[in-house]
Amino acid sequence: MAAARHLRSGLPLLRAHLASSESAAVAQISRGFASQPAKPTGKEIKVPEALYGGTGNYASALFLTAAKANSLDKIESEIKTVVEASKKSPLFSQFIKDLSVPKETRVKAVTEIFADAGFSDVTKNFLAVLADNGRLKYIERIAERFVDLTMAHKGEVKVVVRTVIGGPGASGRVLPPVTGRSWVRVVVFSHCTGEGKACH
């Protein structure tokens, strides 16, 4: 009975010790794809808008890492380059979507390709994490969401303007479409909101 009482009194201490050692282990593992541990700067970097789902989580993680490295613009251009390469090269596109390629091969190939291309460590490590987790096939959507975050960080607003070309005129009669053009023209531009942030 005394032993049971002694054991019960020690359980909270054991739970506290396990929780603290577990959180330290999780913190070490969840350091993610950062090449070096982040140095405390005194000011916390936050994601400008909450994104949900797998692609949102990856885009948010990339944003935080790029912001801590103070290289948002560089990372944005590198990620856009990867997306363009996947659109232009059918072989690369097939490679990133093919999950039958062993994980080790995918990670090694991605690391070597982007190291030779001169990409930053943040981008290389991020792409290696995507390859390791089998998420390279979502790079286009992750890039779109990352760009949305960088625009929100800069105070820019994406505006889509749709106009009809060759549709019904003011008189109600249908105008012929302009040869070689579609019925709808989409113009995308950004505008700084001027909320105390520098416009680029």
Side-chain angles (χ1 to χ4, degrees):
M1 183 116 104
R5 201 173 316 124
H6 181 68
L7 180 64
R8 271 186 265 147
S9 67
L11 281 178
L13 294 173
L14 178 63
R15 283 189 191 124
H17 175 70
L18 287 176
S20 67
S21 63
E22 181 179 311
S23 65
V26 167
Q28 180 64 27
I29 291 171
S30 67
R31 204 177 105 210
F33 53 87
S35 57
Q36 297 176 353
K39 297 174 185 147
T41 59
K43 99 175 174 181
E44 189 69 27
I45 298 173
K46 294 187 178 184
V47 180
E49 56 186 55
L51 299 179
Y52 301 98
T55 58
N57 291 339
Y58 281 109
S60 297
L62 180 59
F63 176 84
L64 289 173
T65 306
K68 287 177 185 175
N70 200 21
S71 57
L72 280 171
D73 293 333
K74 181 174 175 54
I75 305 301
E76 183 179 347
S77 69
E78 290 175 347
I79 292 295
K80 285 180 178 179
T81 302
V82 173
V83 170
E84 289 302 315
S86 72
K87 289 179 180 177
K88 289 181 180 176
S89 171
L91 182 63
F92 181 64
S93 178
Q94 181 183 1
F95 171 75
I96 66 173
K97 292 177 182 170
D98 187 6
L99 293 178
S100 67
V101 176
K103 182 187 336 185
E104 296 80 20
T105 306
R106 271 195 318 264
V107 172
K108 184 178 178 186
V110 164
T111 305
E112 289 175 2
I113 289 169
F114 296 110
D116 291 345
F119 280 37
S120 67
D121 287 341
V122 172
T123 305
K124 287 186 299 189
N125 293 339
F126 178 72
L127 293 172
V129 167
L130 290 180
D132 189 40
N133 294 335
R135 299 292 189 257
L136 272 175
K137 62 185 175 181
Y138 302 115
I139 188 66
E140 188 173 346
R141 182 67 180 138
I142 293 169
E144 288 172 4
R145 299 185 90 182
F146 177 73
V147 169
D148 290 343
L149 288 174
T150 57
M151 287 178 68
H153 177 72
K154 294 174 189 174
E156 297 176 346
V157 178
K158 185 192 295 186
V159 178
V160 178
V161 178
R162 297 179 189 264
T163 61
V164 177
I165 300 173
S171 63
R173 61 188 173 108
V174 176
L175 302 173
V178 178
T179 308
R181 295 199 182 165
S182 64
W183 282 83
V184 177
R185 175 178 53 182
V186 177
V187 180
V188 178
F189 64 92
S190 64
H191 174 70
C192 184
T193 59
E195 296 174 353
K197 298 181 181 174
C199 297
H200 300 290

